[in-house]
């Protein structure tokens, strides 16, 4: 049902410092950078093999990632799995008793469709389901 890990989301306070680590020290090419006002973040995608690292900088303290940073500090934020059909996957997960944060998919970066699962039903791991746009 979940095909592969699409990306690991990392909450950062300082995007330039994070890019120095991931681009320069880790050698991962940046492939996308976007401000997603709706989610209150500036997001950067870097390639690593078939997957990605997604760096998330909050646009303000009252955003979900801003609150996360205030509470837990920078670090691992979520894991995202790629699927072929996000609506069918969400139905299957609901039937399996998994609680959804997003009942219906919303638009993520690079025109993907995304939905988050509630960490209280996923063993404390904030989990994202992503159906990448064609070509990604
Ligand atoms: Co993500």
């Amino acid at each position: 049902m979940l095909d592969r890990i699409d990306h690991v989301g990392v909450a950062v306070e300082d995007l330039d410092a994070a890019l120095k680590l991931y681009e320069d020290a880790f050698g991962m090419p940046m492939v996308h950078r976007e401000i997603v006002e709706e989610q209150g973040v500036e997001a950067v995608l870097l390639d690593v093999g078939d997957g990605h690292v997604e760096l998330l900088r909050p646009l303000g303290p009252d955003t979900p990632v801003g609150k996360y940073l205030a509470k837990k500090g920078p670090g691992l934020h979520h894991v995202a799995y790629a699927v072929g059909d996000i609506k069918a996957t969400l139905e299957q997960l609901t039937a399996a008793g998994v609680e959804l944060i997003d009942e219906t998919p919303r638009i993520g970066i690079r025109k993907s469709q995304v939905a988050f699962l509630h960490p209280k039903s996923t063993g404390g791991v904030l989990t994202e389901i992503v159906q990448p746009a064609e070509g990604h």
Side-chain angles (χ1 to χ4, degrees):
M1 183 168 32
L2 307 183
D3 296 338
R4 60 182 171 82
I5 291 178
D6 183 80
H7 65 266
V8 170
V10 178
V12 306
E13 275 166 356
D14 184 339
L15 201 45
D16 290 332
L19 282 173
K20 210 166 163 39
L21 176 68
Y22 282 88
E23 273 192 306
D24 300 349
F26 291 173
M28 298 180 189
M30 176 166 64
V31 291
H32 188 74
R33 186 168 186 162
E34 179 176 344
I35 288 179
V36 189
E37 294 280 356
E38 189 199 5
Q39 290 172 39
V41 292
E42 180 173 11
V44 166
L45 270 188
L46 303 112
D47 270 352
V48 53
D50 291 336
H52 314 283
V53 171
E54 179 183 73
L55 303 176
L56 299 166
R57 179 187 70 80
L59 298 178
D62 286 334
T63 60
V65 177
K67 288 175 190 164
Y68 179 94
L69 275 180
K71 205 164 142 189
K72 302 198 172 169
L76 201 53
H77 183 260
H78 66 269
V79 177
Y81 297 96
V83 300
D85 184 339
I86 192 169
K87 282 181 185 149
T89 301
L90 294 179
E91 280 172 20
Q92 289 170 318
L93 290 170
T94 302
V98 176
E99 194 180 327
L100 311 180
I101 292 175
D102 300 301
E103 301 283 339
T104 53
R106 52 196 167 94
I107 301 300
I109 62 173
R110 290 207 297 190
K111 298 187 168 70
S112 57
Q113 293 187 71
V114 305
F116 281 90
L117 312 181
H118 205 293
K120 77 181 174 200
S121 65
T122 54
V125 179
L126 180 58
T127 302
E128 177 184 358
I129 303 299
V130 52
Q131 181 181 326
E134 295 289 323
H136 296 298

